[in-house]
Amino acid sequence: MALQIYNYLHREKEPFVPLHEGKVNMYVCGPTVYDHAHVGHAKTYVSFDVVVRYLRFSGYDVLYVQNLTDVGHLLDSGEDRILRKARQSEATPMQIVETYARSYFADMDALGVARPDISPRASGHIPEQIKMIETLIEKGHAYVADTGNVYFDVYSWGDYGKLSNRRVEEQESGSREEVREDKRHAEDFALWKKAEPEHILRWDSPWGVGYPGWHIECSAMSRKYLGDTFDIHGGGVDNIFPHNECEVAQSEAANEAEFARYWMLTGSLTVPDEFGIPVKMSKSLGNFYTIKDALKIQRPEVIRTFILSGHYRNPIVFSEDSLDSARKGWDRIYGAVRLTREKLRSAPDGDEGNSFFASLEKARQQFVEAMDDDFNAPGALAALYDLTREVNTLLNSGQTVGKEVLQSIDDTYRSLGGDVLGIVPGEEASAGAADAEREDGLIRLLVDLRMQARKAKDFATSDRIRDQLSDLGVTLEDRADGTVWRIG
């Protein structure tokens, strides 16, 4: 089956056919950098990390652009989020931006999320935004109010609402836009805002000193780096209106070309409220956990496993139970990986046990089938769990398994679980995966020391090492072919 993607533009799965054969241009709305990222952000960006990884795994040349919003994202009150944080912190806006942009990338690095190819900032692309606004004015889709504000006239674009399926007359005025008397229509949205004297973020423009609205940045930056039309636009489903809807309208009105061909939107991350009812994780509700907090209680591969245990389009519930379930699942997979690598250290040359190659091919086919079905990560994980059960049966059966077979098992885990899902340490390990490798190395050293003590009949030392490892949750099993260990 060829890759199918659920396209929110048409509300159905569609075969993925890129604009240019073998190449994928992809844009994902990035964070507004005014605070530390929370686990809801992790859900979105881990999900798209896996999308990019799988596209590359499938042979596509992917150009991945993810912006950083550092100006123009307004609260319902009309106040810029960056400016409000700056006032609260008694810092300059750019201090806030730099602090939390670095924090965001540090969190993504810790989670094993590959950096985008380009991470443009809104404040660094003011000329491009001004040029697009001028084009919209020239074509009659935008107007300059007497106040110096510039608005997009939603009634000038007949397709406004086609992404969110909301008619203009059904829309609530003021959503993320301050309702102002200088608009022609309450539903019109700001492209450029006049800066009041106390407003620190300000640039010269043909309409006076001001700053861009939130929506125009993504249209201008995606066009600059990906062209008028590109393959995939990603983001969170909560931003389908007004942000994504406004992107589509202003881009297609300005460029007179299709904007994004496939729209992929992630479901929300929820947390149980006091009554156990899942509600969206949100800073405004105060029910959020930062990624840094989550990493204090679970390793990054477990957090990724938790996120990937639900389909990217569906909401998932963040709780201790769900994290614990993800940890147990990851432990099973990594336990088999660890056992495979332990066996490799002393396995005989050759392909003894080569009948297992069929199981590896079956797992790969199931994995690819799942991922080709709209990046079904839960299905891909299920293929790895099935493989893990078979690997454990093989390696615990007592039969001789040659290096060729063990290496193929390890390569399969590295490829599917590492390169695509990012939950198995590979050549380009995340910080957490590198920690896992170091942890394994230390345990292996102690196991070797215990083996030497046993050979020297120093059973007191041997028992002490075994007992201390047991206290740390490491179980040893002595076999005829050596000692194997597992955590938990």
Side-chain angles (χ1 to χ4, degrees):
M1 178 180 70
L3 175 61
Q4 303 267 326
I5 295 179
Y6 184 88
N7 190 350
Y8 266 88
L9 188 61
H10 304 131
R11 298 302 194 279
E12 64 181 3
K13 288 182 186 177
E14 301 173 356
F16 178 63
V17 181
L19 194 61
H20 303 289
E21 186 176 355
K23 184 175 179 61
V24 178
N25 285 340
M26 178 172 169
Y27 185 94
V28 171
C29 289
T32 301
V33 283
Y34 70 100
D35 207 340
H36 295 299
H38 57 65
V39 184
H41 296 115
K43 181 182 187 301
T44 293
Y45 300 120
V46 166
S47 295
F48 283 112
D49 178 55
V50 170
V51 168
V52 172
R53 285 167 176 257
Y54 185 68
L55 289 170
R56 287 173 175 157
F57 169 86
S58 301
Y60 289 106
D61 176 15
V62 181
L63 176 56
Y64 180 27
V65 179
Q66 182 193 115
N67 71 300
L68 292 176
T69 297
D70 59 357
V71 64
H73 190 164
L74 306 184
L75 298 160
D76 290 339
S77 64
E79 184 179 22
D80 187 287
R81 291 175 182 269
I82 305 293
L83 285 178
R84 185 179 72 164
K85 186 71 174 186
R87 278 193 288 272
Q88 291 173 344
S89 306
E90 297 184 351
T92 66
M94 286 302 102
Q95 280 180 286
I96 297 299
V97 168
E98 289 300 323
T99 296
Y100 294 112
R102 292 171 188 171
S103 172
Y104 168 72
F105 282 121
D107 289 341
M108 294 299 107
D109 291 345
L111 288 172
V113 173
R115 295 281 182 107
D117 298 302
I118 304 173
S119 298
R121 296 188 182 188
S123 64
H125 295 76
I126 300 298
E128 290 85 354
Q129 295 176 69
I130 288 175
K131 183 177 180 180
M132 182 169 276
I133 295 170
E134 288 179 321
T135 299
L136 288 168
I137 293 172
E138 290 169 6
K139 293 184 175 181
H141 296 295
Y143 57 93
V144 184
D146 293 339
T147 56
N149 295 321
V150 183
Y151 296 102
F152 184 91
D153 184 345
V154 298
Y155 285 91
S156 75
W157 187 249
D159 281 341
Y160 188 76
K162 71 176 183 179
L163 178 64
S164 61
N165 286 338
R166 296 174 63 161
R167 293 179 177 274
V168 173
E169 55 269 21
E170 295 173 347
Q171 294 164 11
E172 295 181 11
S173 62
S175 178
R176 284 197 191 259
E177 290 288 342
E178 186 180 1
V179 178
R180 302 179 65 97
E181 294 180 357
D182 59 345
K183 292 182 181 183
R184 290 178 184 170
H185 319 104
E187 300 83 5
D188 294 347
F189 60 88
L191 300 170
W192 188 264
K193 306 277 283 188
K194 177 184 177 181
E196 301 301 330
E198 68 276 8
H199 203 286
I200 303 172
L201 295 172
R202 51 201 295 129
W203 291 266
D204 291 330
S205 80
W207 319 288
V209 177
Y211 56 95
W214 177 30
H215 315 304
I216 193 68
E217 65 171 282
C218 289
S219 291
M221 291 189 290
S222 62
R223 181 187 183 189
K224 178 180 178 68
Y225 297 108
L226 301 176
D228 292 349
T229 304
F230 55 93
D231 296 298
I232 298 173
H233 193 307
V237 71
D238 296 324
N239 285 333
I240 192 170
F241 185 86
H243 182 58
N244 299 146
E245 191 67 72
C246 295
E247 283 184 82
V248 175
Q250 64 200 8
S251 293
E252 296 189 352
N255 303 334
E256 298 183 4
E258 183 181 18
F259 183 41
R261 301 175 70 239
Y262 297 85
W263 280 85
M264 296 179 62
L265 303 174
T266 59
S268 300
L269 186 90
T270 64
V271 290
D273 64 11
E274 58 183 318
F275 304 108
I277 300 172
V279 295
K280 179 190 171 187
M281 180 178 288
S282 169
K283 288 179 179 175
S284 61
L285 296 176
N287 63 349
F288 67 94
Y289 296 81
T290 67
I291 294 173
K292 298 181 196 305
D293 289 339
L295 287 169
K296 291 176 183 177
I297 59 176
Q298 290 291 354
R299 61 186 314 131
E301 296 86 2
V302 170
I303 295 174
R304 288 183 72 102
T305 302
F306 156 69
I307 290 169
L308 300 177
S309 64
H311 194 279
Y312 78 87
R313 286 192 286 114
N314 295 336
I316 56 174
V317 180
F318 180 79
S319 66
E320 288 186 14
D321 288 344
S322 58
L323 276 181
D324 188 56
S325 177
R327 181 191 61 77
K328 290 176 181 175
W330 182 81
D331 281 345
R332 288 200 302 275
I333 291 173
Y334 194 53
V337 172
R338 183 185 292 115
L339 181 58
T340 300
R341 294 175 183 173
E342 281 296 307
K343 292 279 190 179
L344 259 172
R345 298 175 66 227
S346 57
D349 293 331
D351 65 348
E352 290 90 344
N354 57 21
S355 61
F356 199 75
F357 288 143
S359 295
L360 294 176
E361 181 57 29
K362 177 184 175 183
R364 187 181 184 88
Q365 289 177 358
Q366 290 176 338
F367 185 96
V368 169
E369 271 184 26
M371 292 300 289
D372 276 347
D373 183 14
D374 192 29
F375 306 99
N376 182 1
L381 277 173
L384 288 185
Y385 289 138
D386 288 345
L387 174 62
T388 294
R389 186 176 59 254
E390 294 189 48
V391 167
N392 284 329
T393 298
L394 172 69
L395 299 187
N396 291 313
S397 66
Q399 73 177 91
T400 300
V401 182
K403 281 187 177 179
E404 287 186 28
V405 176
L406 290 168
Q407 189 61 62
S408 294
I409 294 172
D410 190 38
D411 289 345
T412 299
Y413 276 118
R414 287 180 185 269
S415 175
L416 306 182
D419 295 343
V420 178
L421 300 185
I423 63 172
V424 173
E427 295 303 319
E428 297 181 0
S430 67
D435 288 343
E437 293 282 20
R438 283 192 291 271
E439 179 183 287
D440 289 354
L442 290 171
I443 295 173
R444 189 179 303 118
L445 174 61
L446 290 170
V447 170
D448 289 344
L449 289 173
R450 177 176 175 269
M451 186 181 300
Q452 293 174 23
R454 282 164 61 86
K455 287 180 180 179
K457 300 188 184 304
D458 183 359
F459 297 114
T461 298
S462 170
D463 291 346
R464 186 166 66 252
I465 292 174
R466 181 200 61 207
D467 294 342
Q468 289 180 347
L469 284 173
S470 178
D471 290 342
L472 295 172
V474 180
T475 301
L476 304 184
E477 183 179 346
D478 295 318
R479 300 177 177 177
D481 59 347
T483 300
V484 296
W485 54 273
R486 67 180 186 275
I487 297 178

